[in-house]
Amino acid sequence: MTPFQRARSDEQRLVRRQNILRTAAEMLAEMPVSALSLNELSRRVGLAKSNVLRYFESREAVLLDLLEESAREFLDEVGEPLRAQVDPSATLDARTVAVASGAAAAFAARPMLCELLSAQAGVLEHNISVDVATRYKQGARDSLLGFAALLRHLFPELDRPRSEQGANLVIVMIGGLWTHCHPAPAVRAVYDADPSFAFMDTKFEDALRGSLCVLLAGLVTGPAPLT
């Protein structure tokens, strides 16, 4: 363990926070959220747990910061390519398929983001203070509003309430599908042993693409959202 040296400046504190976040991201490439412990994170960062807690109040606070950062990067990286691959003069059905396919592929290429979204409400938003929850929700709100604006660009038929409802539902959908498409070992063994369960054993990208097609079509042509 490297002897702890207090960060003396805002820049040094930022560097240390970013190192903690980067290490957590590396761990999530190896393990699910449920297996990531503050003890192991501290060991890999090279600090005592008490010193990591100087920068983040809990494991959940670390992962919420990582989720906010990942969501912001997703929007920055995916928005323009998605606009480029959708022909605004195409039929509604064609645009729906194009957007659903592009968005599903983009999310599937970012497993850490999907893993964090799957744990957001049930795990990560617990064991945190009101201050951390407020800061996280402010960032999440900005990302959702940005995603809603992207949906309105791709589907001019959508008004703001429908696009915001859609952005929220996409995030909920991803969290649920990611969990169900990555079953526990015992459930995986059941699926592999009995072909009658094949319809329940869906690949994440395929399941998300199909679900997005249904959601997007419903948002554009269905009744106005309840308020």
Side-chain angles (χ1 to χ4, degrees):
M1 182 73 68
T2 303
F4 177 71
Q5 295 182 351
R6 185 185 298 276
R8 301 290 182 181
S9 67
D10 289 343
E11 182 179 359
Q12 289 174 330
R13 283 188 283 273
L14 178 61
V15 168
R16 189 156 286 171
R17 284 177 62 90
Q18 288 302 314
N19 184 42
I20 294 170
L21 291 173
R22 184 173 63 252
T23 303
E26 292 169 354
M27 293 174 68
L28 287 176
E30 307 170 13
M31 63 187 73
V33 166
S34 59
L36 193 155
S37 70
L38 192 57
N39 285 333
E40 179 61 12
L41 174 60
S42 303
R43 186 189 71 78
R44 296 198 189 194
V45 171
L47 296 172
K49 183 167 74 171
S50 60
N51 292 330
V52 172
L53 291 173
R54 292 174 181 265
Y55 299 93
F56 296 94
E57 65 181 38
S58 64
R59 178 194 79 124
E60 289 74 17
V62 174
L63 296 177
L64 281 177
D65 256 39
L66 189 58
L67 173 53
E68 180 189 347
E69 183 179 278
S70 300
R72 186 170 59 249
E73 290 174 354
F74 174 86
L75 199 59
D76 291 341
E77 295 168 1
V78 172
E80 194 55 42
L82 200 54
R83 290 185 184 95
Q85 73 183 66
V86 176
D87 180 358
S89 66
T91 65
L92 175 59
D93 284 349
R95 281 182 287 133
T96 298
V97 171
V99 172
S101 299
F107 278 110
R110 293 164 174 80
M112 184 185 73
L113 173 59
C114 297
E115 171 76 15
L116 290 168
L117 287 172
S118 74
Q120 175 184 343
V123 177
L124 302 186
E125 293 181 356
H126 299 261
N127 193 33
I128 57 173
S129 65
V130 172
D131 285 345
V132 167
T134 300
R135 188 166 60 250
Y136 167 68
K137 284 300 184 182
Q138 287 170 341
R141 177 193 59 202
D142 292 344
S143 292
L144 281 171
L145 291 177
F147 190 35
L150 176 60
L151 289 178
R152 291 196 300 276
H153 176 87
L154 299 169
F155 296 96
E157 300 92 338
L158 288 177
D159 57 17
R160 181 162 182 157
R162 287 176 190 256
S163 69
E164 292 176 357
Q165 180 191 46
N168 269 308
L169 290 175
V170 168
I171 298 308
V172 173
M173 184 184 296
I174 289 167
L177 287 175
W178 183 262
T179 300
H180 283 282
C181 293
H182 295 81
V187 176
R188 167 52 55 200
V190 171
Y191 288 165
D192 292 343
D194 188 341
S196 70
F197 291 108
F199 75 100
M200 301 170 66
D201 183 19
T202 310
K203 301 300 182 185
F204 174 73
E205 185 174 344
D206 295 339
L208 182 56
R209 181 173 57 250
S211 299
L212 285 173
C213 280
V214 174
L215 173 62
L216 293 170
L219 283 171
V220 174
T221 62
L226 298 175
T227 58

